[in-house]
Every structure is written in C-alpha cells, then in structure tokens.
Amino acid sequence: GDAAGAAAASPATDFGSTTTDAPADVGLLDGSALEAASAATAALSDPSRAELGWGPIDMCTAAIDTIHASTGLPWWASIVVMTCIFRGVVFPLNVKQMRNTLRLKQLQPE
C-alpha cells in the first residue's frame, strides 16, 4: 500500500497525462532558426569550386563532391570510388618505380 502511494506521488514517476513535442514545446527551434541552421549547414558541407583552392586536398574534395553529386552515391561510397580511381591512376607509376628500383639493384656493386 504505502510503497505504491509513494511511487505515484514521486516526481520522478509523475509525468502528467499530456505529451507534447519537446522542441516545439520548449520553443528552441522555430521555423526561421531551423531554416538558418539548415542553410548554414548546407554552406559548410557543400563548398563551391570557387571557394576551393588548387591544392591537393581541395582537388580531392572537389573530386569526391563531384562523384557524390553526379552519381547520387552516399558520401562513404563516393570516398571508396575516389580511392579506387586514385589507386588505378597511380598504379602504373608504382609499377614503373618498382622496375626502376630492380634495375638499380642489379647495377649496384656487390
């Protein structure tokens, strides 16, 4: 008896009979604030080519963004595709470097 009455009167278990949507009830996210946050996030996550420089990081960022935008792949898949393309382009250079290293090793005096 007493335990059930104490639990019912406890503020930790007395949540009331009505439920509301918390953000709307609190008033933290009104329409204009949500739109401003969305626009700011879009501006940060989608840099235009004019905002990027010509450094290697900027060029990789632009390539991944182009793959993402043109294929509709998720970001993680765009990064995997970019990695495969990059390794495919660099592979002939690696083979040439290995052949040159082998030639130099054969020419080295014993």
Side-chain angles (χ1 to χ4, degrees), residues 29-88:
L29 297 175
D30 61 346
S32 62
L34 188 59
E35 289 175 14
S38 177
T41 303
L44 288 175
S45 66
D46 191 19
S48 69
R49 185 66 200 142
E51 294 171 357
L52 294 173
W54 290 101
I57 301 297
D58 296 328
M59 293 175 76
C60 287
T61 302
I64 292 170
D65 186 44
T66 301
I67 291 169
H68 171 71
S70 63
T71 63
L73 290 171
W75 284 108
W76 66 268
S78 299
I79 293 169
V80 169
V81 168
M82 179 61 194
T83 302
C84 293
I85 291 171
F86 181 77
R87 287 184 178 232

